[in-house]
Amino acid sequence: MQSIYVNWNGKVKLSWVPNSALPERHLITSVHGFCFYKSELLLINLKDRGWDFPGGHIEIDETPEDCFKREAMEEGYVEGECHLLGYVEVNHQENMNWTESSPYPQVGYQVYYRMDINMLYPFEGKFESSKRTFIAPSKVSEYYKGWNPVFNEIMKEAKRGLFINEYQD
């Protein structure tokens, strides 16, 4: 398990837990993923954050997978087959700024998927993204400003699935 500390309004521990069953639904704070098309990684330019990968918050009657599919369509205009990779435990126990009234639980989870894109629609930019691009996965840290060792572990897991799929066909 890869863990790091980040400063998200205080000290927050992020721990990657690969190949795991989903956490309890009420503790999942967001769902994200890496979308691949012809071995290239989809990045979207979010109007408030810059280059990122699709993801967001679960709506009331959604499953985590449905949420990721919706976010990938809204932000990147893509559809595809999803594969659960695992989750990041987001632990605020050492965050002196966390309180019971904070918007997130003291220990919450960000679920991650890999999407193998099979439908690429014209990009319309109607939601929060202004552009999309496809890059070599090895170049992601050149685009994504907050790239860190936890994301490296998630990417390794996502690429492992791609390698297996390429040779199972």
Side-chain angles (χ1 to χ4, degrees), residues 89-159:
E89 179 185 89
V90 181
N91 188 322
H92 292 268
Q93 290 174 325
E94 298 177 62
N95 182 351
M96 302 307 265
N97 296 319
W98 186 89
T99 66
E100 291 292 330
S101 63
S102 292
Y104 298 109
Q106 191 169 36
V107 178
Y109 302 93
Q110 297 177 341
V111 174
Y112 281 81
Y113 287 89
R114 181 188 81 237
M115 177 184 280
D116 301 327
I117 297 171
N118 56 32
M119 290 296 297
L120 184 63
Y121 297 97
F123 185 82
E124 296 181 17
K126 289 183 180 177
F127 296 95
E128 59 207 288
S129 56
S130 61
K131 295 184 220 175
R132 75 173 173 203
T133 191
F134 292 91
I135 63 166
S138 61
K139 303 229 181 244
V140 68
S141 64
E142 297 172 23
Y143 287 78
Y144 188 92
K145 292 179 184 170
W147 195 256
N148 62 57
V150 168
F151 289 143
N152 281 338
E153 293 302 310
I154 300 168
M155 181 63 76
K156 282 182 197 173
E157 191 65 35
K159 286 171 37 178

Side-chain angles (χ1 to χ4, degrees), residues 31-95:
V31 181
H32 308 272
F34 298 128
C35 301
F36 293 93
Y37 183 70
K38 297 182 180 180
S39 300
E40 290 192 311
L41 177 67
L42 167 69
L43 289 180
I44 44 140
N45 195 341
L46 293 176
K47 293 173 183 166
D48 295 334
R49 291 193 305 241
W51 291 107
D52 206 338
F53 36 91
H57 298 286
I58 301 175
E59 294 181 358
I60 293 173
D61 292 328
E62 282 183 318
T63 66
E65 185 174 334
D66 289 340
C67 172
F68 179 60
K69 287 179 177 182
R70 176 182 51 78
E71 292 287 348
M73 185 62 182
E74 287 177 359
E75 296 174 349
Y77 296 87
V78 297
E79 290 181 347
E81 185 179 337
C82 292
H83 308 276
L84 178 64
L85 299 173
Y87 58 82
V88 172
E89 179 185 89
V90 181
N91 188 322
H92 292 268
Q93 290 174 325
E94 298 177 62
N95 182 351

